Amino acid sequence: MITSQSFKANDLAGLMFSLMPITLFLPVGFMYFWIALVFIAATMAGNFRDIKTSVANNPIFFPTALLVIFVVFQSLFLSGENDRRWSGIIYYFIFVFFFFFSAAAPAHYFAQAKKIFYLSAVLASAVFYLSRSGALPEWYVFKNFFTYGGNRSIAIGIFLAIAAGWLLNDAGKETRFRQKLILTAGYIFISSAIFIFAVTRTGLLLLFVLSAMAIARHLKHNKINIALAAIVVSFFAVMMNTHSTSNQRLSQTLSAVTAPGPKKADNGDMVRLQFFEKTGQMILEKPLLGHGVGSWRQQYPTRAEGLLTSTMSTPHNDYLLFAAELGLCGLLILFVIFFNLARTAVSSTVGDGMPLLMMTVALAIGSMFNAILRDWRFGVPFMLLLAIAYRGSLRESHDS
């Protein structure tokens, strides 16, 4: 029996969940603190039967359960020589956050969370503009907007690209001209911040890909949408010819790739070639089951001794990590997870499956160039956005 107290707890959990996207653009401690509060509120609501049903019906429940079982098996029986197996096992449980987020709140709060994500992305873009113009104090909460902060700064650019892609998708399906104009303006505002300020080639790549997906989805015999596509193409043409941070990074990468001789082996933009070479050797040695959980961090420093990458904690590519530690079997399970997400998005007829498809593509592409699943500064926010997109593909998310 559901009491008035459980209704209040449900609303509290839903409200707190809907505000969580704000933390994606703040220092990472804010996100973990807010997740703890949402977990407490969801526990107080006590809807454990609904949560169990939601998790069991999730399209990636079975492949994720298989991945967990396989990782535990690897840790117990095939990773005895790896000192880091128990500290490394936790990173393979990242999709548990997706299950939690997907079931943490009543249905209509996911639509609110999406709107909060849009607002947060616009505000984050505004912070970029204001911080670089000297109009904001250099407070801790804004630190990743003033200076490059490694993966956290890269993550902000990626989240902005996802917000821009979702906005353009909404603009394409919007029939009211005024709303379409507002959504397009938000897309341009966020995308400009990515080009000018965000230091992330992955974010820029995702902006291109997700924008192309949105245009392709809605480019029909509709004059307004054709005009929208023309605006987006013109915007990219202008941005690619500006002296922006993104263009500088792209030029550096191109110069590194085309540089003659051994110099490019020590270039910071080419470290991924070292990862491919040395991790590839690990994969070829044990292709089927891999070297076991935690093996990459244990073996790579020795294999890459003297190289620029020898002290790094990840290969900046989740596919390499899965293949090296779990072999082709583990990598296949990961591909099944991606496939089930994409299939759910494409088959959605009652909700909007495009954001889920975009998130699946973003996850698949991002995992090629960053430790999206290995680094929780990427992974946990990805699971949150994946949950918002997934629930948006269901009928119930549109019912209030």
Side-chain angles (χ1 to χ4, degrees), residues 264-283:
K264 63 181 181 181
D266 294 325
N267 190 294
D269 291 298
M270 298 302 293
V271 296
R272 285 175 174 79
L273 289 181
Q274 296 176 9
F275 288 134
F276 270 99
E277 179 185 357
K278 300 302 179 181
T279 307
Q281 293 172 1
M282 292 180 63
I283 296 170

Side-chain angles (χ1 to χ4, degrees), residues 254-318:
L254 182 61
S255 298
V257 172
T258 57
K263 290 184 180 180
K264 63 181 181 181
D266 294 325
N267 190 294
D269 291 298
M270 298 302 293
V271 296
R272 285 175 174 79
L273 289 181
Q274 296 176 9
F275 288 134
F276 270 99
E277 179 185 357
K278 300 302 179 181
T279 307
Q281 293 172 1
M282 292 180 63
I283 296 170
L284 290 175
E285 289 172 7
K286 294 185 178 181
L288 188 60
L289 297 177
H291 292 261
V293 175
S295 59
W296 191 90
R297 288 204 66 185
Q298 182 157 315
Q299 295 186 29
Y300 190 81
T302 302
R303 293 174 180 267
E305 186 176 0
L307 298 179
L308 187 67
T309 60
S310 62
T311 60
M312 296 187 180
S313 59
T314 76
H316 292 69
N317 183 309
D318 287 318

Side-chain angles (χ1 to χ4, degrees), residues 170-182:
D170 285 355
K173 68 179 183 178
E174 180 60 61
T175 57
R176 295 166 296 179
F177 180 76
R178 183 171 179 272
Q179 293 299 111
K180 186 184 289 285
L181 193 61
I182 292 173

Side-chain angles (χ1 to χ4, degrees), residues 3 31 48 56-57 85 96 104 124 126 134 145 173 201 204 224 306 326 348 379 383:
T3 65
M31 178 182 66
F48 301 115
N57 292 334
R85 56 175 167 167
V96 173
F145 294 89
K173 68 179 183 178
R201 287 161 293 188
L204 190 62
I224 297 180
L326 305 183
S348 175
M383 295 303 109

